[in-house]
Amino acid sequence: SAARGAARGVPAVRKKGAVGGPTPAHARLLATLKGFKESVTAAALSQDGALAVGASSDRTVRVFCGLAAHVEHGEPLPHPLIANVPLDHASACSLSASGRNAVVAGSQTRQVLAYTITPPGAKGAKPSVQLKRSFPPPPGAHSAPLAAAILAPNSKYIVTVGGEGDSSVKLWTTGGELVASVANKQHAQFDASVSADSLLVAVAAASAPPGRAVAPRHGQVSVYEVGYAGERPASLSPAFTLGGHTRGVHSVSFAHDCVHVALGSADGEWSVVAARPQREPREHARGKAPGAPFERVALSPFATRLVGAAAAEIAIVDVAAAAAGGRGSSFSLVERVPTGHGRVTSLCFSFDGTCALSGGEDGRLRLWRVEESSRAGTV
């Protein structure tokens, strides 16, 4: 059921015709991206902020171009570019650093599909989203729908993470060759994040069934290091684990500084940990979600802001204030924002640290102002 899926951290699938509704009026809302006929299952932003990609249970992938011009100058958004997911719908998606390539994970086929994006204005080419490659054929695929499929920031590899009983983490070349596969010793996997330098892969998981507590010292997030042979990805090896929570960690997000990692747990708390290979991870900040436990978290580039999603709202957290105020500081909450999504199913931060993109059961993506550009810093 949708309720059981939500408890596992799996996006609910809303039936056709059950989307839409009024767009909420809020000072932080910058854009609403429409077009999907069913629930959004995954979404991502390009590094330059010019486009967003979303996948839906309506079996489409849509690319929304012109976001930066719309936000900065009020220019109208062009119609999204659309591609079908053959005989399936996507459970995860990711964009390349250039914004010209996207990968999505088929929910039932468990295949990775690679698309090429040609945005409006490209010389001598019609705007389009074209399916270029899919892999792997059975039996090389995961045994369950994927919790994550991420194209590394350096575009050298793709990492896929199994869900719903599949505890494997697989490393692929962008051409579809399986490089490495490891068994994550956790009960269930929910999410993953890759560091901006493409060296670390963090996998959010639960070491025990829902409702069963574990010792906080037990690692709920496994972090793997990607090894290279020259420019080619060659291995995936355990680096360290992150603990500190008494229930499963449903979402994980690296900051672009490649040091800080945000965790959102079913125990009702979030944390930000400073961690690198060959160093002991240390907790940087911690706080309690202002309502229900965060199902999704996104961390800003320099780990100054955290956005968490629970049910139909997002909460903006001042991480620096939480770090200064100590555990459970009440001064860290900046604002709770109703999204109008019904339920938030995807969440990510912009590369410049000013905005967050949410996707939801209502079949829409919404872009929110989180921080003023003068305070967000540069990467």
Side-chain angles (χ1 to χ4, degrees), residues 225-290:
E225 187 170 7
V226 179
Y228 291 83
E231 295 293 315
R232 178 185 169 84
S235 63
L236 192 64
S237 56
F240 49 85
T241 59
L242 304 177
H245 291 278
T246 59
R247 294 290 194 277
V249 175
H250 282 177
S251 186
V252 61
S253 175
F254 267 108
H256 291 303
D257 64 7
C258 303
V259 173
H260 294 92
V261 192
L263 285 62
S265 173
D267 65 7
E269 292 191 328
W270 59 266
S271 62
V272 174
V273 180
R276 292 298 290 168
Q278 287 79 53
R279 297 182 186 178
E280 186 70 22
R282 62 176 179 83
E283 186 174 284
H284 173 66
R286 176 180 289 265
K288 186 173 179 60

Short mmCIF file of all heavy atoms in Angstrom, two decimals, residues 225-290:
data_model
loop_
_atom_site.label_atom_id
_atom_site.label_comp_id
_atom_site.label_asym_id
_atom_site.label_seq_id
_atom_site.Cartn_x
_atom_site.Cartn_y
_atom_site.Cartn_z
N GLU A 225 34.04 4.06 -1.23
CA GLU A 225 35.00 4.84 -1.99
C GLU A 225 35.16 4.24 -3.38
O GLU A 225 35.30 3.02 -3.53
CB GLU A 225 36.35 4.87 -1.28
CG GLU A 225 37.36 5.79 -1.93
CD GLU A 225 38.60 6.00 -1.08
OE1 GLU A 225 38.75 5.31 -0.05
OE2 GLU A 225 39.43 6.85 -1.45
N VAL A 226 35.12 5.11 -4.39
CA VAL A 226 35.28 4.67 -5.78
C VAL A 226 36.76 4.74 -6.13
O VAL A 226 37.40 5.78 -5.99
CB VAL A 226 34.47 5.56 -6.74
CG1 VAL A 226 34.68 5.12 -8.19
CG2 VAL A 226 32.99 5.52 -6.38
N GLY A 227 37.31 3.60 -6.57
CA GLY A 227 38.70 3.56 -7.01
C GLY A 227 38.80 3.68 -8.52
O GLY A 227 37.90 3.27 -9.25
N TYR A 228 39.89 4.27 -8.98
CA TYR A 228 40.08 4.51 -10.41
C TYR A 228 41.37 3.86 -10.89
O TYR A 228 42.36 3.77 -10.15
CB TYR A 228 40.15 6.02 -10.71
CG TYR A 228 38.85 6.76 -10.52
CD1 TYR A 228 38.45 7.19 -9.25
CD2 TYR A 228 38.03 7.03 -11.60
CE1 TYR A 228 37.25 7.87 -9.09
CE2 TYR A 228 36.83 7.72 -11.44
CZ TYR A 228 36.45 8.13 -10.18
OH TYR A 228 35.27 8.80 -10.01
N ALA A 229 41.36 3.41 -12.13
CA ALA A 229 42.55 2.98 -12.84
C ALA A 229 42.77 4.00 -13.95
O ALA A 229 42.17 3.92 -15.02
CB ALA A 229 42.38 1.58 -13.42
N GLY A 230 43.59 5.00 -13.66
CA GLY A 230 43.69 6.14 -14.56
C GLY A 230 42.41 6.95 -14.48
O GLY A 230 41.99 7.38 -13.40
N GLU A 231 41.75 7.15 -15.60
CA GLU A 231 40.48 7.87 -15.64
C GLU A 231 39.28 6.95 -15.52
O GLU A 231 38.14 7.41 -15.43
CB GLU A 231 40.38 8.66 -16.96
CG GLU A 231 41.41 9.77 -17.11
CD GLU A 231 41.17 10.89 -16.13
OE1 GLU A 231 40.01 11.31 -15.97
OE2 GLU A 231 42.14 11.33 -15.49
N ARG A 232 39.50 5.66 -15.51
CA ARG A 232 38.41 4.69 -15.55
C ARG A 232 38.05 4.22 -14.14
O ARG A 232 38.94 3.86 -13.35
CB ARG A 232 38.85 3.49 -16.39
CG ARG A 232 37.82 2.37 -16.47
CD ARG A 232 38.40 1.19 -17.24
NE ARG A 232 37.57 0.00 -17.13
CZ ARG A 232 36.52 -0.26 -17.90
NH1 ARG A 232 36.20 0.60 -18.86
NH2 ARG A 232 35.81 -1.35 -17.74
N PRO A 233 36.75 4.21 -13.79
CA PRO A 233 36.35 3.66 -12.49
C PRO A 233 36.68 2.17 -12.44
O PRO A 233 36.44 1.44 -13.41
CB PRO A 233 34.84 3.91 -12.44
CG PRO A 233 34.42 4.02 -13.87
CD PRO A 233 35.58 4.65 -14.59
N ALA A 234 37.24 1.72 -11.30
CA ALA A 234 37.73 0.35 -11.25
C ALA A 234 37.22 -0.45 -10.05
O ALA A 234 37.22 -1.68 -10.10
CB ALA A 234 39.26 0.35 -11.24
N SER A 235 36.79 0.21 -8.98
CA SER A 235 36.41 -0.55 -7.78
C SER A 235 35.46 0.26 -6.92
O SER A 235 35.35 1.48 -7.04
CB SER A 235 37.65 -0.94 -6.98
OG SER A 235 38.32 0.22 -6.51
N LEU A 236 34.80 -0.45 -6.01
CA LEU A 236 33.90 0.14 -5.03
C LEU A 236 34.18 -0.55 -3.71
O LEU A 236 33.90 -1.75 -3.56
CB LEU A 236 32.44 -0.06 -5.46
CG LEU A 236 31.34 0.72 -4.74
CD1 LEU A 236 31.51 2.21 -4.96
CD2 LEU A 236 29.97 0.26 -5.23
N SER A 237 34.75 0.18 -2.76
CA SER A 237 35.16 -0.45 -1.51
C SER A 237 34.62 0.31 -0.31
O SER A 237 34.48 1.54 -0.35
CB SER A 237 36.69 -0.51 -1.43
OG SER A 237 37.25 0.78 -1.56
N PRO A 238 34.30 -0.41 0.81
CA PRO A 238 33.79 0.27 2.00
C PRO A 238 34.80 1.27 2.54
O PRO A 238 35.99 0.96 2.66
CB PRO A 238 33.56 -0.88 2.98
CG PRO A 238 33.45 -2.10 2.13
CD PRO A 238 34.36 -1.87 0.97
N ALA A 239 34.35 2.48 2.86
CA ALA A 239 35.22 3.51 3.43
C ALA A 239 34.94 3.68 4.92
O ALA A 239 35.85 3.61 5.74
CB ALA A 239 35.03 4.84 2.70
N PHE A 240 33.68 3.92 5.30
CA PHE A 240 33.29 4.04 6.70
C PHE A 240 31.78 4.01 6.76
O PHE A 240 31.10 4.02 5.73
CB PHE A 240 33.83 5.34 7.32
CG PHE A 240 33.57 6.57 6.51
CD1 PHE A 240 32.37 7.27 6.62
CD2 PHE A 240 34.53 7.06 5.63
CE1 PHE A 240 32.13 8.40 5.88
CE2 PHE A 240 34.30 8.20 4.87
CZ PHE A 240 33.10 8.87 5.00
N THR A 241 31.24 3.96 7.96
CA THR A 241 29.80 4.02 8.17
C THR A 241 29.47 5.18 9.09
O THR A 241 30.29 5.61 9.90
CB THR A 241 29.24 2.72 8.78
OG1 THR A 241 29.87 2.48 10.04
CG2 THR A 241 29.49 1.53 7.86
N LEU A 242 28.24 5.69 8.93
CA LEU A 242 27.76 6.80 9.75
C LEU A 242 26.58 6.32 10.58
O LEU A 242 25.62 5.74 10.05
CB LEU A 242 27.32 7.97 8.85
CG LEU A 242 28.37 8.51 7.88
CD1 LEU A 242 27.77 9.61 7.01
CD2 LEU A 242 29.59 9.03 8.62
N GLY A 243 26.65 6.55 11.88
CA GLY A 243 25.58 6.16 12.78
C GLY A 243 24.96 7.38 13.45
O GLY A 243 24.89 8.45 12.88
N GLY A 244 24.52 7.17 14.69
CA GLY A 244 23.98 8.27 15.46
C GLY A 244 22.47 8.34 15.52
O GLY A 244 21.92 9.19 16.21
N HIS A 245 21.77 7.43 14.81
CA HIS A 245 20.31 7.44 14.82
C HIS A 245 19.77 6.10 15.29
O HIS A 245 20.39 5.06 15.06
CB HIS A 245 19.77 7.78 13.43
CG HIS A 245 20.03 9.20 13.02
ND1 HIS A 245 19.23 10.24 13.41
CD2 HIS A 245 21.02 9.74 12.27
CE1 HIS A 245 19.72 11.37 12.91
NE2 HIS A 245 20.80 11.10 12.21
N THR A 246 18.60 6.12 15.92
CA THR A 246 18.03 4.90 16.49
C THR A 246 17.01 4.24 15.58
O THR A 246 16.48 3.18 15.92
CB THR A 246 17.35 5.22 17.84
OG1 THR A 246 16.33 6.20 17.63
CG2 THR A 246 18.36 5.75 18.84
N ARG A 247 16.72 4.84 14.45
CA ARG A 247 15.86 4.24 13.43
C ARG A 247 16.57 4.38 12.08
O ARG A 247 17.63 4.99 11.96
CB ARG A 247 14.49 4.92 13.38
CG ARG A 247 13.62 4.75 14.61
CD ARG A 247 13.12 3.31 14.73
NE ARG A 247 12.04 3.19 15.70
CZ ARG A 247 12.19 3.06 17.02
NH1 ARG A 247 13.41 3.09 17.53
NH2 ARG A 247 11.15 2.92 17.82
N GLY A 248 15.96 3.83 11.05
CA GLY A 248 16.55 3.87 9.72
C GLY A 248 16.74 5.28 9.20
O GLY A 248 15.97 6.19 9.53
N VAL A 249 17.77 5.46 8.38
CA VAL A 249 18.02 6.73 7.70
C VAL A 249 17.41 6.64 6.31
O VAL A 249 17.82 5.81 5.50
CB VAL A 249 19.53 7.03 7.62
CG1 VAL A 249 19.78 8.29 6.80
CG2 VAL A 249 20.11 7.18 9.01
N HIS A 250 16.41 7.47 6.04
CA HIS A 250 15.66 7.39 4.79
C HIS A 250 16.21 8.27 3.69
O HIS A 250 15.85 8.11 2.53
CB HIS A 250 14.18 7.73 5.04
CG HIS A 250 13.43 6.60 5.65
ND1 HIS A 250 12.10 6.69 6.02
CD2 HIS A 250 13.81 5.33 5.98
CE1 HIS A 250 11.70 5.54 6.53
NE2 HIS A 250 12.72 4.71 6.53
N SER A 251 17.07 9.23 4.05
CA SER A 251 17.60 10.12 3.02
C SER A 251 18.98 10.60 3.42
O SER A 251 19.28 10.76 4.61
CB SER A 251 16.66 11.33 2.83
OG SER A 251 17.08 12.13 1.74
N VAL A 252 19.83 10.81 2.40
CA VAL A 252 21.20 11.25 2.64
C VAL A 252 21.57 12.24 1.54
O VAL A 252 21.13 12.11 0.40
CB VAL A 252 22.17 10.05 2.67
CG1 VAL A 252 22.17 9.31 1.35
CG2 VAL A 252 23.57 10.48 3.05
N SER A 253 22.39 13.25 1.88
CA SER A 253 22.74 14.28 0.91
C SER A 253 24.12 14.83 1.22
O SER A 253 24.36 15.35 2.31
CB SER A 253 21.71 15.41 0.93
OG SER A 253 22.09 16.48 0.09
N PHE A 254 25.06 14.72 0.25
CA PHE A 254 26.36 15.35 0.38
C PHE A 254 26.26 16.84 0.09
O PHE A 254 25.54 17.26 -0.82
CB PHE A 254 27.35 14.75 -0.64
CG PHE A 254 28.17 13.61 -0.13
CD1 PHE A 254 27.92 12.31 -0.56
CD2 PHE A 254 29.20 13.82 0.77
CE1 PHE A 254 28.67 11.25 -0.11
CE2 PHE A 254 29.97 12.76 1.23
CZ PHE A 254 29.70 11.47 0.79
N ALA A 255 26.99 17.65 0.84
CA ALA A 255 27.22 19.03 0.44
C ALA A 255 28.26 19.03 -0.67
O ALA A 255 29.03 18.08 -0.82
CB ALA A 255 27.72 19.85 1.63
N HIS A 256 28.31 20.11 -1.45
CA HIS A 256 29.28 20.18 -2.53
C HIS A 256 30.71 20.39 -2.04
O HIS A 256 31.65 20.33 -2.83
CB HIS A 256 28.90 21.29 -3.52
CG HIS A 256 27.66 20.99 -4.30
ND1 HIS A 256 27.53 19.87 -5.07
CD2 HIS A 256 26.50 21.67 -4.42
CE1 HIS A 256 26.33 19.85 -5.65
NE2 HIS A 256 25.68 20.94 -5.26
N ASP A 257 30.87 20.62 -0.73
CA ASP A 257 32.23 20.73 -0.21
C ASP A 257 32.90 19.37 -0.04
O ASP A 257 34.07 19.29 0.35
CB ASP A 257 32.24 21.50 1.12
CG ASP A 257 31.48 20.77 2.24
OD1 ASP A 257 31.05 19.62 2.05
OD2 ASP A 257 31.32 21.38 3.31
N CYS A 258 32.15 18.28 -0.33
CA CYS A 258 32.67 16.91 -0.28
C CYS A 258 33.03 16.46 1.12
O CYS A 258 33.70 15.43 1.29
CB CYS A 258 33.88 16.74 -1.20
SG CYS A 258 33.57 17.14 -2.92
N VAL A 259 32.64 17.19 2.13
CA VAL A 259 32.97 16.86 3.51
C VAL A 259 31.71 16.57 4.32
O VAL A 259 31.63 15.55 5.02
CB VAL A 259 33.78 18.00 4.18
CG1 VAL A 259 33.98 17.71 5.66
CG2 VAL A 259 35.12 18.18 3.48
N HIS A 260 30.73 17.44 4.23
CA HIS A 260 29.54 17.31 5.08
C HIS A 260 28.46 16.46 4.41
O HIS A 260 28.23 16.56 3.21
CB HIS A 260 28.99 18.70 5.42
CG HIS A 260 29.92 19.51 6.27
ND1 HIS A 260 30.85 20.37 5.74
CD2 HIS A 260 30.06 19.58 7.63
CE1 HIS A 260 31.53 20.94 6.72
NE2 HIS A 260 31.07 20.48 7.87
N VAL A 261 27.80 15.65 5.24
CA VAL A 261 26.73 14.76 4.78
C VAL A 261 25.53 14.95 5.70
O VAL A 261 25.67 14.93 6.93
CB VAL A 261 27.17 13.29 4.82
CG1 VAL A 261 26.16 12.42 4.07
CG2 VAL A 261 28.57 13.10 4.26
N ALA A 262 24.35 15.14 5.10
CA ALA A 262 23.12 15.27 5.88
C ALA A 262 22.37 13.95 5.90
O ALA A 262 22.31 13.24 4.89
CB ALA A 262 22.23 16.36 5.28
N LEU A 263 21.81 13.62 7.07
CA LEU A 263 21.04 12.40 7.25
C LEU A 263 19.66 12.76 7.77
O LEU A 263 19.53 13.56 8.70
CB LEU A 263 21.73 11.46 8.25
CG LEU A 263 22.97 10.67 7.85
CD1 LEU A 263 24.13 11.59 7.48
CD2 LEU A 263 23.40 9.73 8.99
N GLY A 264 18.63 12.16 7.20
CA GLY A 264 17.27 12.31 7.71
C GLY A 264 16.76 10.96 8.16
O GLY A 264 16.72 10.00 7.38
N SER A 265 16.38 10.84 9.44
CA SER A 265 16.07 9.54 10.02
C SER A 265 14.61 9.41 10.44
O SER A 265 13.94 10.40 10.78
CB SER A 265 16.97 9.29 11.23
OG SER A 265 16.59 8.12 11.93
N ALA A 266 14.14 8.16 10.47
CA ALA A 266 12.80 7.87 10.94
C ALA A 266 12.67 8.06 12.44
O ALA A 266 11.56 7.98 12.98
CB ALA A 266 12.42 6.43 10.57
N ASP A 267 13.78 8.31 13.16
CA ASP A 267 13.68 8.57 14.59
C ASP A 267 13.25 10.00 14.89
O ASP A 267 13.15 10.40 16.05
CB ASP A 267 14.99 8.24 15.31
CG ASP A 267 16.16 9.14 14.90
OD1 ASP A 267 15.95 10.11 14.16
OD2 ASP A 267 17.30 8.85 15.33
N GLY A 268 13.00 10.80 13.83
CA GLY A 268 12.51 12.16 14.01
C GLY A 268 13.60 13.20 14.08
O GLY A 268 13.31 14.39 14.24
N GLU A 269 14.87 12.79 13.93
CA GLU A 269 15.97 13.74 13.98
C GLU A 269 16.73 13.75 12.66
O GLU A 269 16.68 12.80 11.88
CB GLU A 269 16.93 13.38 15.13
CG GLU A 269 16.34 13.58 16.50
CD GLU A 269 17.38 13.49 17.60
OE1 GLU A 269 18.35 12.73 17.44
OE2 GLU A 269 17.21 14.18 18.62
N TRP A 270 17.40 14.86 12.41
CA TRP A 270 18.32 14.98 11.29
C TRP A 270 19.71 15.26 11.86
O TRP A 270 19.85 15.73 12.99
CB TRP A 270 17.90 16.12 10.34
CG TRP A 270 17.83 17.47 11.02
CD1 TRP A 270 16.74 18.06 11.58
CD2 TRP A 270 18.93 18.38 11.24
NE1 TRP A 270 17.07 19.28 12.14
CE2 TRP A 270 18.41 19.50 11.93
CE3 TRP A 270 20.29 18.35 10.91
CZ2 TRP A 270 19.22 20.58 12.30
CZ3 TRP A 270 21.09 19.43 11.28
CH2 TRP A 270 20.55 20.53 11.97
N SER A 271 20.72 14.98 11.08
CA SER A 271 22.08 15.29 11.52
C SER A 271 22.93 15.65 10.31
O SER A 271 22.62 15.27 9.18
CB SER A 271 22.71 14.12 12.29
OG SER A 271 22.82 12.97 11.45
N VAL A 272 23.98 16.40 10.55
CA VAL A 272 24.99 16.70 9.54
C VAL A 272 26.33 16.24 10.10
O VAL A 272 26.71 16.62 11.22
CB VAL A 272 25.04 18.20 9.20
CG1 VAL A 272 26.20 18.49 8.25
CG2 VAL A 272 23.72 18.64 8.57
N VAL A 273 27.01 15.40 9.35
CA VAL A 273 28.25 14.78 9.80
C VAL A 273 29.39 15.23 8.88
O VAL A 273 29.22 15.33 7.67
CB VAL A 273 28.14 13.24 9.77
CG1 VAL A 273 29.43 12.59 10.22
CG2 VAL A 273 26.98 12.79 10.64
N ALA A 274 30.54 15.53 9.47
CA ALA A 274 31.75 15.83 8.72
C ALA A 274 32.54 14.53 8.59
O ALA A 274 32.89 13.92 9.60
CB ALA A 274 32.59 16.90 9.41
N ALA A 275 32.80 14.11 7.35
CA ALA A 275 33.43 12.80 7.16
C ALA A 275 34.25 12.78 5.88
O ALA A 275 33.83 13.29 4.85
CB ALA A 275 32.35 11.71 7.08
N ARG A 276 35.42 12.18 5.99
CA ARG A 276 36.30 11.91 4.84
C ARG A 276 37.02 10.60 5.10
O ARG A 276 37.16 10.16 6.24
CB ARG A 276 37.34 13.03 4.65
CG ARG A 276 36.78 14.35 4.21
CD ARG A 276 36.09 14.27 2.87
NE ARG A 276 37.00 14.06 1.76
CZ ARG A 276 36.61 13.74 0.54
NH1 ARG A 276 35.34 13.57 0.28
NH2 ARG A 276 37.49 13.57 -0.43
N PRO A 277 37.48 9.92 4.02
CA PRO A 277 38.22 8.67 4.22
C PRO A 277 39.46 8.88 5.11
O PRO A 277 40.07 9.95 5.11
CB PRO A 277 38.64 8.29 2.79
CG PRO A 277 37.63 8.96 1.92
CD PRO A 277 37.28 10.23 2.60
N GLN A 278 39.78 7.83 5.88
CA GLN A 278 40.92 7.83 6.78
C GLN A 278 40.77 8.83 7.94
O GLN A 278 41.75 9.14 8.63
CB GLN A 278 42.25 8.11 6.06
CG GLN A 278 42.75 6.95 5.20
CD GLN A 278 42.04 6.86 3.88
OE1 GLN A 278 41.97 7.83 3.14
NE2 GLN A 278 41.53 5.69 3.54
N ARG A 279 39.58 9.34 8.14
CA ARG A 279 39.33 10.22 9.27
C ARG A 279 38.09 9.74 10.01
O ARG A 279 37.15 9.22 9.41
CB ARG A 279 39.11 11.67 8.82
CG ARG A 279 40.32 12.31 8.14
CD ARG A 279 40.03 13.75 7.78
NE ARG A 279 41.11 14.35 7.00
CZ ARG A 279 41.09 15.58 6.52
NH1 ARG A 279 40.04 16.37 6.78
NH2 ARG A 279 42.09 16.04 5.82
N GLU A 280 38.07 9.94 11.31
CA GLU A 280 36.92 9.54 12.09
C GLU A 280 35.77 10.52 11.85
O GLU A 280 35.94 11.73 12.05
CB GLU A 280 37.28 9.54 13.59
CG GLU A 280 36.19 9.01 14.49
CD GLU A 280 35.99 7.51 14.34
OE1 GLU A 280 36.93 6.83 13.89
OE2 GLU A 280 34.89 7.04 14.69
N PRO A 281 34.60 10.04 11.40
CA PRO A 281 33.47 10.95 11.20
C PRO A 281 33.10 11.64 12.52
O PRO A 281 33.15 11.02 13.59
CB PRO A 281 32.35 10.03 10.72
CG PRO A 281 33.04 8.82 10.18
CD PRO A 281 34.27 8.65 11.02
N ARG A 282 32.73 12.91 12.43
CA ARG A 282 32.30 13.62 13.63
C ARG A 282 31.01 14.39 13.33
O ARG A 282 30.82 14.92 12.25
CB ARG A 282 33.39 14.58 14.10
CG ARG A 282 33.76 15.67 13.13
CD ARG A 282 34.78 16.64 13.71
NE ARG A 282 35.13 17.69 12.75
CZ ARG A 282 34.40 18.79 12.57
NH1 ARG A 282 33.30 18.98 13.27
NH2 ARG A 282 34.78 19.70 11.69
N GLU A 283 30.15 14.43 14.31
CA GLU A 283 28.87 15.11 14.14
C GLU A 283 29.08 16.62 14.14
O GLU A 283 29.71 17.17 15.05
CB GLU A 283 27.91 14.71 15.24
CG GLU A 283 26.51 15.27 15.05
CD GLU A 283 25.54 14.74 16.07
OE1 GLU A 283 25.12 13.57 15.94
OE2 GLU A 283 25.23 15.49 17.02
N HIS A 284 28.56 17.29 13.14
CA HIS A 284 28.68 18.73 13.02
C HIS A 284 27.46 19.44 13.60
O HIS A 284 27.59 20.48 14.27
CB HIS A 284 28.85 19.10 11.54
CG HIS A 284 28.81 20.57 11.26
ND1 HIS A 284 29.78 21.44 11.70
CD2 HIS A 284 27.90 21.33 10.58
CE1 HIS A 284 29.48 22.67 11.31
NE2 HIS A 284 28.35 22.64 10.64
N ALA A 285 26.28 18.92 13.36
CA ALA A 285 25.05 19.53 13.86
C ALA A 285 23.96 18.47 13.91
O ALA A 285 24.00 17.47 13.19
CB ALA A 285 24.61 20.70 12.98
N ARG A 286 22.97 18.71 14.75
CA ARG A 286 21.85 17.79 14.89
C ARG A 286 20.62 18.58 15.33
O ARG A 286 20.73 19.59 16.02
CB ARG A 286 22.15 16.69 15.91
CG ARG A 286 21.00 15.72 16.18
CD ARG A 286 21.39 14.68 17.20
NE ARG A 286 22.34 13.74 16.63
CZ ARG A 286 22.01 12.56 16.09
NH1 ARG A 286 20.74 12.19 16.07
NH2 ARG A 286 22.92 11.76 15.60
N GLY A 287 19.46 18.10 14.94
CA GLY A 287 18.23 18.74 15.37
C GLY A 287 17.04 17.81 15.20
O GLY A 287 17.16 16.73 14.61
N LYS A 288 15.92 18.24 15.69
CA LYS A 288 14.69 17.46 15.59
C LYS A 288 13.82 18.05 14.48
O LYS A 288 13.66 19.27 14.39
CB LYS A 288 13.94 17.48 16.92
CG LYS A 288 12.70 16.58 16.96
CD LYS A 288 12.12 16.53 18.35
CE LYS A 288 10.86 15.65 18.38
NZ LYS A 288 11.13 14.25 17.96
N ALA A 289 13.27 17.19 13.65
CA ALA A 289 12.35 17.66 12.62
C ALA A 289 11.17 18.34 13.29
O ALA A 289 10.67 17.87 14.31
CB ALA A 289 11.88 16.49 11.76
N PRO A 290 10.70 19.48 12.74
CA PRO A 290 9.65 20.24 13.43
C PRO A 290 8.30 19.57 13.44
O PRO A 290 7.43 19.94 14.23
CB PRO A 290 9.60 21.55 12.64
CG PRO A 290 10.13 21.19 11.29
CD PRO A 290 11.17 20.14 11.52
#
